[in-house]
Amino acid sequence: MSAYGTTRHHGQTSANSTPASTTLFRRLTWEGTVPLEIRVDSKELPANSDRGLECYYIQAPRVSYLPLLMPEIRRFLMDVVFDEAAGKMLKEEEWWFESEEGTLLKWHWPIGLIYDNHTISASIRPPSQTSTSHYNLQVTPLKLILHLASPPTEKLLLSPSAESCKQAYMGQLKEADFIRWGNTKRMTGLRKQDQDGIWEGIKEHNFDDYWRVASKIVPTTAPARSSSPPPSTNPSMHIRPPSADPQSAPDRDNAYNVRSVPVRLYLPDGPVMQDVVSPTLEDGSAHTLVHYLSTHLPLLFPPAPYSGPELAYAMMHGVLVPPDAEMAWLGACMAGADGWVSVCVGIAR
Amino acid sequence: MTATLTRQQFDEACQEFIHAHQSISSAYEARLSGWSWKEHHTLPGFGYMHRIITLNWRHPASVDTFLEIDGGLDVVDDGTTASHDSPDSLTCHQFVVLSATFRVPTFYFSIHASSGSPLQLTDIMKTSLLREDVCEGTVATTFAVSHPATNFPFLSQGEHPTARHALLVLSPMRNCKCSSRDPQGIRRNQQETAGLDGGLVHSVEYRRGHAV
């Protein structure tokens, strides 16, 4: 594991490098996983299948995508469940997933978002007998049903291939880039090698490979400086190329200088909400999560002063987010690998 | 000036457009009619336009060669989608939605054969929805159709922001270039945007005289 300043430079920054705390949260976000239980629909098991073994368990990276799990699932099914003849008839392009509750799972959503969306959807259903938590955030395997044929093409994006998933992913990165800066120059300025490399980082779940490219497009939280000390010689640090104007480089890429933070708000069984999220408010203060939520969902997050019971909660990557978290900081440190800050709102019990 | 719309501007422009084109007095008006306003079933502020029209194959008996298929990506015929071989008329669901990212009207659609099977992307390029010359120079995969020189695909799969259906979407980036103070630019963009009937999307913008 290469060091990104978390051990040798804890709490320190150099002019053009990423603060250690930023890297820490980025790594924590990256390494999050969720448990999945994948079971083939019993009605679709081919003849001569080894029934009773058609269930596969996997601890999947939150930043990954269902199409990227397909090869591993297929290997399991071929090795353990299906006989050789049935295996040859398998067409992965016809596979599709749904939850136990019948919710169609989307190919182009990160797995972590699928899991969190399931969690908040459960928050509006009658509580289970085992659920005693106010937030119902128990980490239990998400039970998926794998169908092998007849995908609902009117509801699902077609062609669940890894290449299609990559194209959808790159589109999300470009949209996030546009949201931040009003253009996609940072994304389009990447060489083809880098664009492929960032996706390879997702595929292989390699933090270093991903951030080697992502550090060129994701804003940093490094403070602006009046003078520029020499660049660090540590090759493992996130180093941005020195600008012709040292004083402007940190400002230009600073998370608090973006036009808008790419944020999407997910409600239980509702549409995805997306609006302009400025990093600072009109009075110059930082735009916080509580302000964002009370503005967009005042009935669930009543503005201060409010002394009543908690009505809802905001979750990112499976954890409750402090209300005073700054939106710009979230955009730099806890965005998903697709560049988006995905806030999932659940209903408190 | 880049043209963007607020949610309120978009809603008002769409409803004005729908109302203005309810009566059909000419072939041009006929192409702009048939729209209705839809809302999310529980939450306000997610409205959009919708209509259903009938399309045909552009060249029912011929094999078009405009489209260059990316050789590295197989166009899979899995039997779940309709093909160009079908002589049936086609049903096209059309939606005009406000892009939350680019803040411009965005055109989503799906095309189905009479059997109900959705058309693959390559076959959609052969329907009467799109002008013949639009496909020239494009590269197609099963996910998107792109001009090599552009940042975003010209046509790609997408998800309806409100209804959550899987649809195809014309790049909203084209609509970003339209200026409210440049009617000539609007008409040029209308022609560029795949020759859609009546430049519907730009009619919505132009009608409101939008500005940032």
Side-chain angles (χ1 to χ4, degrees), chain B residues 94 107 129-131 170 190-191 193-201:
Chain B
Q94 301 182 339
F107 185 72
L129 177 69
L130 301 171
R131 277 208 324 262
L170 282 178
Q190 287 178 357
Q191 294 169 5
T193 312
L196 286 173
D197 284 347
L200 166 66
V201 167

Side-chain angles (χ1 to χ4, degrees), chain A residues 119-128 131-137 309-313 346-349:
Chain A
T119 298
I120 62 173
S121 294
S123 73
I124 60 172
R125 285 193 280 270
S128 65
S131 171
T132 56
S133 167
H134 179 59
Y135 300 113
N136 193 28
L137 296 181
E310 196 173 53
L311 303 173
Y313 58 87
I347 305 303
R349 297 195 186 279

Side-chain angles (χ1 to χ4, degrees), chain A residues 6-76:
Chain A
T6 56
T7 54
R8 282 185 280 171
H9 299 279
H10 182 69
Q12 300 176 0
T13 66
S14 60
N16 291 328
S17 65
T18 305
S21 59
T22 297
T23 304
L24 172 64
F25 278 94
R26 287 175 175 175
R27 184 175 284 279
L28 289 172
T29 300
W30 180 266
E31 294 182 349
T33 59
V34 294
L36 302 179
E37 174 191 302
I38 300 169
R39 182 184 300 275
V40 178
D41 188 346
S42 59
K43 298 186 290 296
E44 297 178 26
L45 279 173
N48 302 323
S49 296
D50 198 335
R51 293 176 184 266
L53 293 177
E54 74 279 15
C55 201
Y56 186 65
Y57 296 87
I58 183 172
Q59 196 75 18
R62 280 180 161 273
V63 300
S64 188
Y65 295 83
L66 287 175
L68 299 182
L69 301 184
M70 303 273 267
E72 182 177 347
I73 297 171
R74 184 189 177 99
R75 278 195 299 274
F76 166 77

Side-chain angles (χ1 to χ4, degrees), chain A residues 106 108 158 174-175 188 274, chain B residues 73 101 141 151 157 159 166:
Chain A
K106 302 176 190 294
H108 58 293
L158 299 174
K174 289 177 185 176
E175 279 200 39
T188 55
Q274 182 184 330
Chain B
L73 298 162
T101 295
T141 67
N151 297 335
Q157 294 187 32
E159 188 175 357

Side-chain angles (χ1 to χ4, degrees), chain B:
Chain B
M1 176 183 295
T2 303
T4 60
L5 297 172
T6 65
R7 164 51 70 173
Q8 183 178 353
Q9 287 175 326
F10 174 79
D11 288 2
E12 291 176 355
C14 286
Q15 302 202 29
E16 191 176 325
F17 179 90
I18 293 170
H19 179 75
H21 297 289
Q22 284 180 334
S23 60
I24 303 172
S25 58
S26 64
Y28 176 77
E29 284 290 333
R31 291 203 301 270
L32 299 181
S33 65
W35 293 92
S36 61
W37 181 251
K38 304 287 186 185
E39 291 272 5
H40 187 268
H41 58 90
T42 55
L43 293 175
F46 293 92
Y48 57 93
M49 290 169 55
H50 172 253
R51 74 173 180 179
I52 305 173
I53 65 170
T54 300
L55 297 175
N56 297 299
W57 295 106
R58 207 165 48 234
H59 300 293
S62 69
V63 176
D64 287 347
T65 56
F66 287 129
L67 207 59
E68 174 189 339
I69 307 297
D70 188 321
L73 298 162
D74 293 331
V75 179
V76 178
D77 180 5
D78 57 8
T80 60
T81 52
S83 73
H84 180 234
D85 295 333
S86 169
D88 299 334
S89 61
L90 309 167
T91 301
C92 181
H93 285 256
Q94 301 182 339
F95 307 83
V96 176
V97 178
L98 180 64
S99 167
T101 295
F102 303 106
R103 314 304 296 181
V104 295
T106 304
F107 185 72
Y108 288 76
F109 68 95
S110 65
I111 304 179
H112 295 76
S114 58
S115 62
S117 299
L119 265 61
Q120 286 197 3
L121 197 54
T122 49
D123 284 327
I124 283 174
M125 308 301 284
K126 303 171 187 175
T127 69
S128 56
L129 177 69
L130 301 171
R131 277 208 324 262
E132 202 161 7
D133 61 319
V134 162
C135 310
E136 291 176 3
T138 58
V139 176
T141 67
T142 51
F143 180 81
V145 178
S146 305
H147 283 281
T150 58
N151 297 335
F152 286 85
F154 154 68
L155 181 63
S156 64
Q157 294 187 32
E159 188 175 357
H160 191 292
T162 303
R164 315 308 300 177
H165 294 152
L167 296 166
L168 291 161
V169 53
L170 282 178
S171 171
M173 284 300 287
R174 289 177 173 268
N175 301 340
C176 278
K177 300 175 185 176
C178 175
S179 166
S180 64
R181 297 179 182 170
D182 178 15
Q184 294 296 330
I186 293 174
R187 281 191 281 276
R188 280 197 300 275
N189 213 339
Q190 287 178 357
Q191 294 169 5
E192 288 175 9
T193 312
L196 286 173
D197 284 347
L200 166 66
V201 167
H202 301 284
S203 294
V204 172
E205 293 186 2
Y206 185 56
R207 197 167 190 86
R208 287 298 301 173
H210 61 280
V212 176

